[in-house]
Amino acid sequence: MKKQRLERLGSLLTEVISEVITQDVRNPNVAHFVSVTRVEITPDLHYAKVYISVIGSDTEKQKTIEGLQQAAAFIAITASKKMTIRYFPALTFKLDTAVDAHLKIEKILGEIENERKNRPPETADEE
């Protein structure tokens, strides 16, 4: 029961924090193409890890995470006004590398497929 509550709250926080970042955060270090992929909340509801996916270079990703971490209190206050919960968790922003890993795997699989297509057909030795 508690796990389901944490998952529902995490899903709600994902939506609200994403909305706050896209509409209210005016930090020049935060990239325009930012999405909140998931939020993990501790069982005591006091801390939350917010996983962010950023489209851009590695420096843009790092600057975005730093900018969001600087604006964490503002994001928490603004998001808490849009929700009704007793305690709003302290936010920590982490870079979600799952999308990058997925793209890397897709690239490798594409290279393997191209190599397979360009390989000459094998001839069967008949005896």
Side-chain angles (χ1 to χ4, degrees):
M1 179 91 155
K2 185 135 178 135
K3 184 177 180 181
Q4 291 175 343
R5 180 174 181 235
L6 288 176
E7 288 174 1
R8 284 185 303 176
L9 188 58
S11 176
L12 180 62
L13 280 173
T14 300
E15 292 176 24
V16 172
I17 291 171
S18 178
E19 181 181 317
V20 170
I21 290 172
T22 56
Q23 295 178 359
D24 300 324
V25 174
R26 301 285 181 250
N27 189 327
N29 291 329
V30 177
H32 294 289
F33 300 109
V34 176
S35 62
V36 178
T37 55
R38 71 182 189 275
V39 176
E40 292 179 357
I41 307 168
T42 58
D44 64 358
L45 306 177
H46 289 291
Y47 301 98
K49 290 181 185 175
V50 181
Y51 289 91
I52 302 292
S53 177
V54 181
I55 297 176
S57 67
D58 289 338
T59 54
E60 287 177 327
K61 292 176 183 180
Q62 189 61 34
K63 283 184 178 183
T64 298
I65 293 296
E66 290 171 2
L68 289 173
Q69 198 58 49
Q70 291 171 355
F74 170 78
I75 294 169
I77 290 169
T78 307
S80 69
K81 292 177 183 175
K82 298 181 180 197
M83 309 176 53
T84 305
I85 55 175
R86 185 175 295 165
Y87 300 108
F88 197 87
L91 304 176
T92 304
F93 291 91
K94 303 281 184 186
L95 188 62
D96 190 358
T97 58
V99 174
D100 293 335
H102 180 15
L103 291 174
K104 185 176 179 181
I105 290 170
E106 287 292 324
K107 180 182 175 191
I108 291 170
L109 290 174
E111 290 172 358
I112 291 171
E113 186 62 30
N114 285 337
E115 184 178 318
R116 185 177 291 151
K117 286 179 183 177
N118 293 333
R119 187 181 300 165
E122 294 182 18
T123 58
D125 292 333
E126 294 182 22
E127 293 182 17

